[in-house]
Amino acid sequence: MLTSHDEQFFKIQLKWAADNFDAEHRARLVADQRAAAARGLLMELAMHLFASELDAVCKQQDVTKWTDVELVHWMKDLLGRTLWQWRASTGDAGRRRLEQAAQEIRRLQAENAQLNQRNHVLEAEAKHAPTYQATINDLKHQIERLQQELADSRDDLDIARSQAAGPAGSSPLISDRPVIAEPYVPPRSTASSSSKSTTERSTTDWYAIWQDSTAPEALERQQHILKVIGEGEAFFRAEIVAALNAAGVLHDDPERPSGTLHRLFAGLSEHGLIEEIDGGYGASVARPSVLTERGREAYRLFTSRALPEPIEQRLLNRHKTVEHTVLNLMARQVLHRFRYTAIDLFPEARRTPAGAVVIPDLTAVSPEGELLLIECERLAKHRTPDERRNKWGDLAALTQGQFYVVVPGSQQQRDLITEISQWIMETGTKQAQLSVCQYTRALRPAAHSPWTYTTAWALA
């Protein structure tokens, strides 16, 4: 039986235990509040710094089920990438990019000033357009009057000739009908039967008309143009001028062809022997010229040998679109300009060490003797991460991370740099180098290399 002393002892012990429980309960509540506050701060920080990334993750999984450690690791990875991008944009690499951007801005400002000046000139000319049109109409009337006077003079000349041809002392033989000049018909290279109707011409009459209506020197030059185009030696006018200069049949500046070349091309177009391919790159980008079916037949007739399948058709079969086909021809033109050799528009497939198949758009040997695998990119569609990995990862396996890419203009260059940056971050690639040929800039007289922009990525 408990004594009063024992009862007092147990009461003290019970009170001490209750006090300890209350203290521990309060401490636990404080700890839970601090943990909840810390979690809230982490989420608030994530939403403030990485709102778009967090939103993308929330669409795929329940972020509220992450532990604090998982959330911290996720933020740490994003911060690491952000710091890498920030460091890449500062320091020597950042200064180089800023210098390049400043140079590009100055160039664009100069071009804009030139365009404004040209616009003022055109506006001044437009004010005089009605006067020009009136002058043209007046000249047309004068030409019609002179043509009529010429026809009358021919009639008088024919009458005088018939009078002079009559016997002495006889009356002049004058027809009751007015003398009408016969229309001019280009001479035929072979005599045709007088009984043959003009509507029954053979399929090669156009060939005879072309040869007989063209001056010998111009005909020789036009035949040479058909040869260099048909044999795939040149497609663009600057290339064709260089080929004609090398053959000694023309002496023109490839950068500024004379009116002679324009007349040669106009004659070939008029006779239906050549046509241009529109690659969709705008009026400021030259279009490649190709032979028509009639042009290929003309080649066969004056060389006595038939052409194989056209290069442009083979490229179209390989690349599927006219735009990509034309871009490959544009790339070849630039590489020719800078003395690259062994340019192959139809390179064979190669295999990476892992067995993946890579087919570059074209290959070429640089003046330094290096074989380059070159891609032509229009960036017409957005690639998925898997497509980027297959495209650039497989190519990097063959080139040790060195990319050579031809693009039409500045917008495609920016899209290309963005895509390769995405591939590097997605795959964790440590090093890569990019050399870009921006077509319109590479053809400028000031360009000293086909690679108008270079950059590199180096991750620690």
Side-chain angles (χ1 to χ4, degrees), residues 26-332:
R26 285 192 299 271
R28 180 63 178 270
L29 288 176
V30 171
D32 288 343
Q33 290 173 354
R34 289 178 178 175
R39 174 73 174 195
L41 288 173
L42 285 175
M43 289 300 297
E44 183 179 355
L45 185 62
M47 287 187 291
H48 180 71
L49 295 178
F50 308 108
S52 59
E53 291 85 353
L54 185 63
D55 184 60
V57 172
C58 290
K59 293 178 180 179
Q60 300 176 358
Q61 52 186 296
D62 189 359
V63 178
T64 59
K65 295 182 179 179
W66 284 4
T67 64
D68 292 349
V69 174
E70 290 174 337
L71 182 58
V72 168
H73 281 311
W74 178 78
M75 293 175 61
K76 179 182 176 183
D77 291 340
L78 283 179
L79 282 171
R81 295 182 190 178
T82 304
L83 285 173
W84 175 83
Q85 292 175 344
W86 177 78
R87 288 167 181 166
S89 63
T90 58
D92 292 339
R95 282 192 294 272
R96 286 196 300 270
R97 290 189 178 89
L98 286 175
E99 290 172 358
Q100 291 172 348
Q103 291 176 359
E104 184 67 10
I105 290 172
R106 287 193 293 269
R107 182 188 65 78
L108 291 174
Q109 288 174 338
E111 289 183 355
N112 185 57
Q114 293 176 354
L115 289 174
N116 286 335
Q117 184 178 3
R118 178 60 178 165
N119 186 50
H120 293 323
V121 173
L122 291 175
E123 288 177 350
E125 291 180 354
K127 294 179 181 178
H128 298 288
T131 306
Y132 294 154
Q133 187 61 48
T135 303
I136 291 171
N137 293 336
D138 183 60
L139 290 174
K140 285 182 178 179
H141 293 315
Q142 293 184 34
I143 290 171
E144 291 172 356
R145 179 175 55 81
L146 291 173
Q147 287 175 338
Q148 184 61 45
E149 291 177 1
L150 179 60
D152 294 340
S153 299
R154 284 176 176 170
D155 291 346
D156 294 340
L157 180 60
D158 289 340
I159 293 173
R161 284 175 177 172
S162 64
Q163 290 176 345
S170 64
S171 300
L173 301 178
I174 302 177
S175 172
D176 293 335
R177 292 176 296 175
V179 179
I180 301 176
E182 291 292 330
Y184 172 75
V185 178
R188 297 283 297 277
S189 59
T190 58
S192 61
S193 173
S194 60
S195 61
K196 183 178 179 181
S197 171
T198 56
T199 59
E200 297 175 352
R201 293 178 176 175
S202 67
T203 56
T204 56
D205 274 356
W206 58 265
Y207 183 76
I209 293 173
W210 167 52
Q211 291 198 319
D212 294 337
S213 62
T214 307
E217 184 180 17
L219 181 63
E220 179 188 6
R221 291 170 171 173
Q222 287 182 342
Q223 287 178 337
H224 204 87
I225 290 174
L226 295 181
K227 284 184 64 177
V228 298
I229 295 176
E231 294 171 4
E233 181 181 349
F235 291 94
F236 295 89
R237 293 199 180 189
E239 294 179 304
I240 294 169
V241 169
L244 267 60
N245 289 344
V249 298
L250 190 68
H251 302 285
D252 261 8
D253 180 0
E255 303 295 338
R256 297 177 179 84
S258 67
T260 300
L261 185 80
H262 295 303
R263 287 190 292 273
L264 293 173
F265 271 86
L268 290 170
S269 298
E270 180 181 348
H271 289 284
L273 303 178
I274 63 171
E275 61 183 356
E276 293 182 340
I277 303 177
D278 184 2
Y281 296 113
S284 62
V285 176
R287 298 177 181 179
S289 297
V290 297
L291 300 189
T292 62
E293 287 299 322
R294 181 177 286 187
R296 292 171 60 80
E297 178 62 13
Y299 177 96
R300 186 189 68 80
L301 290 172
F302 70 74
T303 64
S304 300
R305 62 179 185 273
L307 286 168
E309 184 181 15
I311 287 181
E312 65 273 11
Q313 184 58 51
R314 291 174 58 199
L315 283 173
L316 185 60
N317 295 338
R318 182 183 180 95
H319 298 294
K320 308 308 179 188
T321 66
V322 174
E323 294 81 3
H324 202 180
T325 295
V326 171
L327 184 56
N328 275 260
L329 293 177
M330 292 160 60
R332 194 189 75 158

Side-chain angles (χ1 to χ4, degrees), residues 403-414:
F403 301 127
Y404 293 93
V405 186
V406 179
V407 297
S410 56
Q411 181 59 54
Q412 290 80 10
Q413 176 176 301
R414 289 191 290 269

